[in-house]
Amino acid sequence: MSQTIAAEKKNASFVGILRQYMMLLILAVIIVFFQIVTDGKMLNPMNVSNVIFQNAYVVILACGMLLCILTGGNIDLSVGSVVAVVSACAGTFIISWKWNPYLSMLLCLLISIGIGMFQGFWIAYCRIPPFIMTLVGMLFFRGLTLRILNGMTLAPFPQGLLKFSTGFVFAGDPLGGLLGGADGAKLFGLRNVTCFATGVLLAAAYVAITFVGYSSRKRKGYSVEGFLGLLIRTLIVCAAIIALFYLLAGYRGVPTVLVTLGVILLVYSFLTTNTVMGRHLYALGGNEKAARLSGVKTKRMMFLAYTNMSFLAGVAALVFSARLNSAAPQTGSGFEMDAIAACFIGGASAYGGVGTIGGALVGGLIMGILNNGMSIMGLKTDTQQMIKPLVLLAAVALDVIPKQRVLDPLLDRIRLRKRVNVSA
Amino acid sequence: MLELLSMQSITKEFPGVRALSGVNLAVREGDIHGVVGENGAGKSTLMNILSGIYPYGSYEGRFFFSGEECRFHSIADSERKGIVIIHQELALVPYLSIAENMFLGNEQSSRGVIRWDDTYRKAEEHLRTVGLMENTHTLIKDIGVGKQQLVEIAKALTKNVKLLILDEPTSSLNERDAHKLLDMLLDFKRTRGITSIIISHKLNEIAYVSDRITVLRDGMTIETLEKDKDDITENRIIHGMVGRDMSQRYPSRKPCVRNDVALRASHWNVYHPLFTEKKLVDDVSINVRRGEVVGMYGLIGAGRTELAMSIFGRAYGAHITGELMKDGKPVELTSIPKAIKTGFAYITEDRKQDGLILPFSILRNLTLASMQSVSSHGVIDADLERTGAADTKERLNVKAPNIEQQAGNLSGGNQQKVLLGKWVFAKPDILMLDEPTRGVDVGAKYEIYKIINELAEQGKAILLISSELPEILGMCDRVYVMHEGRLIAEYQTSEATQERIMSDILATEREKSAAETA
């Protein structure tokens, strides 16, 4: 008896770990699948850069959307329209009015924060359901975009600005130059040694932080996780970082937008896991009344979540319009759905209180790589559009079904039949 | 007498836990059969098997109803046989009328079209049987919990019930309504021959109403006691439940009442947040000293919760007026965070709805109300938080393998301890505990009492709101009695008796009705 319990426990924890990393595993499977069917085009250095350029905005939006979803399964439908309106503002300021691009970008971000505060005010303090308020925002800001742009597309942005979103860091490969002359022999046959070195440095920094933290906690007598598990996890993360930068080094280096994205991911995962604000956000989604009675300023958290969402929509707008090199009336339509899908594929709960930035990133990547891979394969848009939502369904079903135990009665019956057979 | 139900060596396993092992239960026709046991003893599991929630095949053993073997696959199967279960959490739809609720899933219809006249006529009939005089068109949300309970029973009557199972039917009722309900069961037994099984933590009620009592402990049948044959006093039942005598239901406390008044609320008034002309707390003045446990007794609707919550950073109510002093200094608590900072704690009566964040771990629940003590500049010190939480878990003896366990997976008693722990961790000076032992078994109750005593000995001021008079008398130094928003009496516990307090309330009621007729 006790043996079976122990075995079951071990089993359960194994399944738990598997479920936790399920989406990561699926992402890996998808990448390998496309790598094989596209004859290696998937992980071609240029394509890797492309995937990053194409999907940066989705992941940025998903970070903001995750916070909204955490507050209780609330979504923000206005995201696409806010992207459009901010992009239209940027276009007008920089292209039509020829304002200083940097000040204009700052102003655009302030505008997006203003939009967020407006929506957040109605949602948090006047208790307008988020779905309705952001539906209002979605329709209104789309209209406003048309008004600002007069229905026309503004293009192109000045060159200096574009390097922020389509440029590369260390494009000149200063380190490579130092080592082997301007275009001399490159290390490991890489085009951009600096990029690869950056990756190695990042991996080393990760290892250092992890193990310093581990030993200091151990010294102070705090409980620590198993060393082997830690080692394996660190190895996987380092391998992923180095592999990514190796691939990027084979093309033109680190895309600028990857830096923006990296900073946003770091900031928001720190915010959600290590700050009081993050904890309060989860508490609000877990049980609003209990959170309020525990001293969580629930209204303010709601307000901040929606303000932040629009702020990130502003960031995404700048990244996206610079990439397209234009501000168009239909910019950003459907972005909200991409962001929402990324969060849910990444394991966020539709009832709030559950979800991680890492999950949203993985969700965004799964969507992005599906898009990219299917395009390389030459699948038609209609097929692509049908496959993506089915992936969302599959991901959520994988998450929900095991919890609801819908299969249990069936399994019970099978078990019973077995037992009868054995006794007979 | 005939055996209506006979359950034989029922065994049910969940992954990693054996909830029932070889349980036997025999219920005679026309009896009221009590089933008692601590939380986790397996009562609910057994009833879920009986009512078909856990289908045939998911457990071992057999059971017979009216001599036939039962193999239920769903609740519908058991209801067809006349077995109806009424759960602790009522299963009524708030925005449907009483009649619609009574025939939910059993609509009076011909070819899918509802016959409304029949529905309302039959509903009315059954409603009168249970002594409820409400209009059958009234929406469920507009009647109180006590009446909702009666609607559930009336609903069971519409199903031609032979065996009625009631799971904690009186847990949310006041003493008077609870008594009425029990008398009704006795009446059903006499006049209609309805057999019932009643599960309850309130042993005095079980002893009052049952013909036979089966005691479960750790998933096993311990004994079945019979009225008139065995001794069925509360102490005897407790002995069976915990496997030892609990001569002392309330742990003793060193006298520790100090002179300084920690909490003083004067001329406190609170109005309903929506119906702002309705006064819920009417000119109440109370005080609690450091080291003192003060009881707050009253029937449901007396305004006790409203009083405590309005003091706690105006968490409830409108137009709150009155003066609040802490340690002799006037304080203005305009928000909950401010109240917590000032050293107040309010522990809600409904731990699942308003108390705990069920998807959170024990750790995260424990520290939620005092994040500033485990963080600096808004950044959480994970190690500090972990050690603090682990320490609190040990201190309060929360039974769970570690602090990473989800609060939602704990038993009621342990959840209550976590809820209490959250506020112990916040290190308040004044604790307002609202029904801290509701739905908690005897053993866990004792431990909660011990924690309360410890807190008092540390010099905290404690206001204990409870609907159980024995608990108030056993635990408190002093007791306030509230009735319909007003403070009607105050006693030193040494002078108070259950009879005196109840007669105070009844006297106020009489005065009121006299004033109304005059």
Side-chain angles (χ1 to χ4, degrees):
Chain A
M1 180 68 202
S2 64
Q3 260 175 348
T4 52
I5 289 180
E8 266 170 16
K9 245 186 205 158
K10 205 170 172 186
N11 206 8
S13 73
F14 178 70
V15 170
I17 289 170
L18 200 68
R19 200 170 288 159
Q20 200 183 340
Y21 293 108
M22 174 84 86
M23 284 303 141
L24 206 54
L25 216 66
I26 289 177
L27 175 63
V29 169
I30 291 176
I31 292 176
V32 170
F33 170 79
F34 280 121
Q35 176 72 357
I36 293 167
V37 293
T38 60
D39 296 325
K41 285 193 195 116
M42 182 86 225
L43 290 181
N44 174 302
M46 190 172 101
N47 191 48
V48 172
S49 288
N50 263 339
V51 169
I52 291 169
F53 282 126
Q54 280 166 6
N55 296 292
Y57 76 91
V58 179
V59 178
I60 293 174
L61 291 177
C63 287
M65 193 63 78
L66 181 80
L67 302 198
C68 293
I69 291 175
L70 285 181
T71 63
N74 302 310
I75 52 176
D76 187 336
L77 293 173
S78 70
V79 167
S81 298
V82 174
V83 166
V85 103
V86 173
S87 159
C89 286
T92 313
F93 296 159
I94 301 171
I95 298 171
S96 306
W97 298 349
K98 310 234 167 354
W99 285 6
N100 177 318
Y102 303 108
L103 287 179
S104 303
M105 283 165 71
L106 190 68
L107 187 60
C108 285
L109 291 181
L110 289 177
I111 289 173
S112 66
I113 291 174
I115 292 174
M117 286 168 71
F118 172 73
Q119 299 198 105
F121 168 77
W122 287 101
I123 292 168
Y125 297 104
C126 304
R127 295 237 150 219
I128 306 287
F131 189 91
I132 293 171
M133 187 58 227
T134 58
L135 180 66
V136 169
M138 174 180 173
L139 300 171
F140 178 82
F141 291 117
R142 183 61 64 188
L144 187 61
T145 308
L146 290 175
R147 163 69 62 86
I148 293 173
L149 292 177
N150 254 330
M152 303 205 286
T153 300
L154 292 175
F157 282 101
Q159 270 306 313
L161 192 67
L162 294 185
K163 67 170 190 266
F164 272 101
S165 93
T166 52
F168 292 85
V169 183
F170 307 131
D173 191 14
L175 188 63
L178 221 62
L179 286 177
D183 45 20
K186 301 277 183 168
L187 215 54
F188 308 128
L190 290 170
R191 271 182 66 179
N192 193 328
V193 183
T194 322
C195 170
F196 184 64
T198 314
V200 173
L201 274 179
L202 280 177
Y206 180 80
V207 172
I209 291 170
T210 311
F211 284 93
V212 167
Y214 177 84
S215 62
S216 93
R217 287 178 56 157
K218 200 162 186 183
R219 208 175 44 245
K220 286 185 203 153
Y222 292 130
S223 63
V224 286
E225 58 181 322
F227 187 74
L228 193 67
L230 187 77
L231 199 67
I232 293 173
R233 207 186 51 173
T234 315
L235 276 178
I236 291 175
V237 172
C238 287
I241 294 177
I242 292 177
L244 176 67
F245 279 82
Y246 176 79
L247 286 172
L248 291 173
Y251 188 51
R252 291 171 56 196
V254 184
T256 325
V257 79
L258 184 64
V259 178
T260 317
L261 190 60
V263 170
I264 288 177
L265 285 170
L266 280 180
V267 167
Y268 281 87
S269 63
F270 183 78
L271 181 91
T272 48
T273 53
N274 288 315
T275 66
V276 174
M277 200 179 134
R279 181 67 57 80
H280 283 183
L281 209 56
Y282 281 95
L284 169 60
N287 183 343
E288 185 180 345
K289 241 172 139 184
R292 192 173 76 89
L293 287 174
S294 302
V296 174
K297 292 170 181 150
T298 48
K299 287 180 182 170
R300 184 179 297 177
M301 294 314 297
M302 202 75 169
F303 176 75
L304 288 177
Y306 277 89
T307 304
N308 172 70
M309 176 74 257
S310 287
F311 163 67
L312 284 182
V315 175
L318 295 179
V319 167
F320 188 76
S321 45
R323 176 177 145 70
L324 287 193
N325 202 4
S326 67
Q330 286 315 314
T331 304
S333 62
F335 280 15
E336 60 278 351
M337 294 305 160
D338 289 338
I340 293 167
C343 290
F344 287 140
I345 291 178
S349 156
Y351 304 105
V354 177
T356 59
I357 290 290
L361 169 66
V362 171
L365 285 178
I366 288 181
M367 299 271 290
I369 284 170
L370 274 175
N371 264 338
N372 181 271
M374 290 192 295
S375 299
I376 299 178
M377 277 173 72
L379 291 183
K380 281 197 219 134
T381 334
D382 48 5
T383 323
Q384 291 193 25
Q385 284 198 1
M386 290 191 294
I387 289 179
K388 275 197 296 175
L390 291 179
V391 171
L392 174 61
L393 174 65
V396 177
L398 263 177
D399 185 42
V400 169
I401 291 177
K403 280 181 205 149
Q404 288 188 335
R405 311 190 149 267
V406 278
L407 296 176
D408 274 14
L410 194 71
L411 292 178
D412 278 335
R413 243 172 246 192
I414 294 169
R415 234 172 266 149
L416 184 78
R417 201 160 300 157
K418 242 191 239 162
R419 201 177 294 150
V420 172
N421 287 345
V422 169
S423 59
Chain B
M1 248 195 274
L2 234 98
E3 262 181 15
L4 181 67
L5 172 75
S6 150
M7 301 183 86
Q8 296 168 359
S9 30
I10 304 285
T11 298
K12 167 83 186 170
E13 279 177 34
F14 294 107
V17 201
R18 178 173 276 207
L20 296 175
S21 44
V23 166
N24 296 314
L25 176 69
V27 178
R28 293 180 309 201
E29 188 141 22
D31 263 9
I32 295 180
H33 197 112
V35 175
V36 297
E38 293 194 274
N39 285 346
K43 295 164 298 184
S44 299
T45 312
L46 189 66
M47 292 309 127
N48 285 342
I49 287 172
L50 179 53
S51 59
I53 292 175
Y54 297 141
Y56 174 71
S58 68
Y59 57 89
E60 285 166 50
R62 307 192 291 173
F63 65 96
F64 299 86
F65 187 72
S66 315
E68 284 172 54
E69 187 177 353
C70 300
R71 296 184 172 188
F72 299 146
H73 290 287
S74 68
I75 303 181
D77 289 348
S78 67
E79 288 192 347
R80 214 169 294 134
K81 292 258 186 187
I83 300 175
V84 179
I85 184 161
I86 297 177
H87 290 281
Q88 190 173 359
E89 280 103 20
L90 301 178
L92 297 171
V93 185
Y95 283 92
L96 289 181
S97 70
I98 292 179
E100 284 170 302
N101 265 290
M102 280 171 64
F103 287 99
L104 197 63
N106 178 25
E107 283 80 5
Q108 300 302 295
S109 60
S110 29
R111 293 195 202 127
V113 179
I114 295 179
R115 285 178 278 130
W116 286 112
D117 292 338
D118 276 4
T119 305
Y120 285 110
R121 186 177 49 75
K122 284 191 190 165
E124 176 124 11
E125 243 169 59
H126 290 297
L127 218 52
R128 299 300 172 254
T129 322
V130 297
L132 195 57
M133 291 301 153
E134 289 291 327
N135 186 328
T136 51
H137 289 77
T138 313
L139 299 187
I140 285 294
K141 73 174 175 65
D142 295 330
I143 61 176
V145 190
K147 289 180 176 173
Q148 290 179 4
Q149 188 85 45
L150 294 178
V151 171
E152 277 274 16
I153 293 172
K155 180 178 173 184
L157 294 179
T158 66
K159 290 174 185 161
N160 230 336
V161 59
K162 291 202 188 80
L163 176 64
L164 185 63
I165 305 165
L166 298 127
D167 191 357
E168 299 284 352
T170 60
S171 67
S172 48
L173 302 187
N174 62 40
E175 221 138 306
R176 218 172 19 173
D177 286 349
H179 219 79
K180 251 199 227 161
L181 183 91
L182 297 176
D183 283 335
M184 198 173 68
L185 287 184
L186 288 171
D187 184 53
F188 281 171
K189 178 178 94 166
R190 269 195 307 273
T191 57
R192 299 168 157 247
I194 292 179
T195 314
S196 13
I197 295 178
I198 175 167
I199 299 173
S200 180
H201 279 118
K202 297 188 182 167
L203 300 179
N204 54 338
E205 294 178 356
I206 290 274
Y208 171 69
V209 81
S210 307
D211 298 295
R212 293 208 296 171
I213 299 166
T214 295
V215 181
L216 296 182
R217 190 202 314 154
D218 300 332
M220 283 180 277
T221 320
I222 299 303
E223 58 192 347
T224 295
L225 304 168
E226 200 161 338
K227 202 173 201 161
D228 306 327
K229 216 189 268 174
D230 300 295
D231 166 29
I232 55 166
T233 56
E234 278 180 60
N235 281 336
R236 174 68 191 80
I237 301 172
I238 291 174
H239 174 83
M241 279 168 62
V242 297
R244 63 196 143 89
D245 276 314
M246 296 255 310
S247 51
Q248 223 166 349
R249 303 264 296 274
Y250 305 99
S252 62
R253 171 171 73 237
K254 284 181 240 129
C256 54
V257 183
R258 302 181 196 170
N259 265 330
D260 30 353
V261 175
L263 167 71
R264 184 190 295 281
S266 331
H267 307 293
W268 200 257
N269 290 295
V270 180
Y271 289 84
H272 195 282
L274 295 179
F275 313 106
T276 44
E277 70 286 354
K278 196 171 164 194
K279 209 168 193 180
L280 298 173
V281 176
D282 188 358
D283 197 34
V284 169
S285 299
I286 58 165
N287 64 74
V288 186
R289 288 166 202 283
R290 284 189 168 268
E292 189 181 32
V293 181
V294 174
M296 178 64 84
Y297 181 77
L299 304 178
I300 299 225
R304 300 165 299 163
T305 298
E306 290 80 359
L307 172 69
M309 280 182 87
S310 59
I311 289 175
F312 185 61
R314 311 200 168 168
Y316 181 87
H319 306 313
I320 299 164
T321 56
E323 200 186 340
L324 198 63
M325 303 234 272
K326 181 182 175 258
D327 296 322
K329 283 184 222 96
V331 285
E332 194 73 35
L333 305 179
T334 45
S335 71
I336 296 172
K338 207 165 171 190
I340 295 173
K341 220 194 234 158
T342 318
F344 282 71
Y346 167 71
I347 293 143
T348 52
E349 62 183 315
D350 190 334
R351 58 177 168 266
K352 283 189 180 162
Q353 290 293 323
D354 324 334
L356 292 174
I357 300 193
L358 297 177
F360 264 26
S361 60
I362 295 176
L363 164 80
R364 289 178 163 209
N365 269 297
L366 283 175
T367 56
L368 184 61
S370 34
M371 292 307 293
Q372 81 290 340
S373 72
V374 292
S375 64
S376 62
H377 306 294
V379 177
I380 300 168
D381 183 336
D383 296 323
L384 193 64
E385 185 184 22
R386 183 169 296 277
T387 29
D391 197 47
T392 311
K393 172 183 171 274
E394 285 308 307
R395 243 182 88 194
L396 271 71
N397 197 14
V398 178
K399 289 187 191 90
N402 56 53
I403 46 175
E404 297 301 337
Q405 290 291 308
Q406 249 188 38
N409 293 341
L410 300 175
S411 71
N414 281 313
Q415 284 184 346
Q416 194 67 38
K417 285 188 213 161
V418 172
L419 183 57
L420 203 53
K422 172 164 83 178
W423 292 104
V424 169
F425 190 71
K427 301 194 178 60
D429 301 316
I430 297 161
L431 286 102
M432 298 182 281
L433 310 172
D434 201 346
E435 305 282 1
T437 63
R438 170 178 291 178
V440 166
D441 64 62
V442 184
K445 258 186 191 172
Y446 191 81
E447 288 185 54
I448 289 172
Y449 295 143
K450 277 210 309 215
I451 298 165
I452 294 176
N453 282 349
E454 245 173 68
L455 292 169
E457 279 162 18
Q458 288 165 15
K460 315 235 184 247
I462 293 168
L463 185 69
L464 175 65
I465 299 173
S466 174
S467 296
E468 289 181 44
L469 266 177
E471 177 173 285
I472 293 251
L473 296 178
M475 283 300 296
C476 300
D477 299 300
R478 197 149 54 89
V479 53
Y480 286 114
V481 183
M482 272 184 85
H483 188 65
E484 297 192 338
R486 269 182 301 193
L487 206 59
I488 56 166
E490 180 186 347
Y491 294 104
Q492 291 296 322
T493 314
S494 48
E495 306 160 2
T497 59
Q498 297 202 26
E499 290 73 24
R500 269 181 85 173
I501 290 174
M502 280 318 289
S503 65
D504 277 337
I505 290 174
L506 292 175
T508 321
E509 277 276 89
R510 266 200 303 279
E511 272 168 39
K512 200 186 96 196
S513 55
E516 269 167 17
T517 47

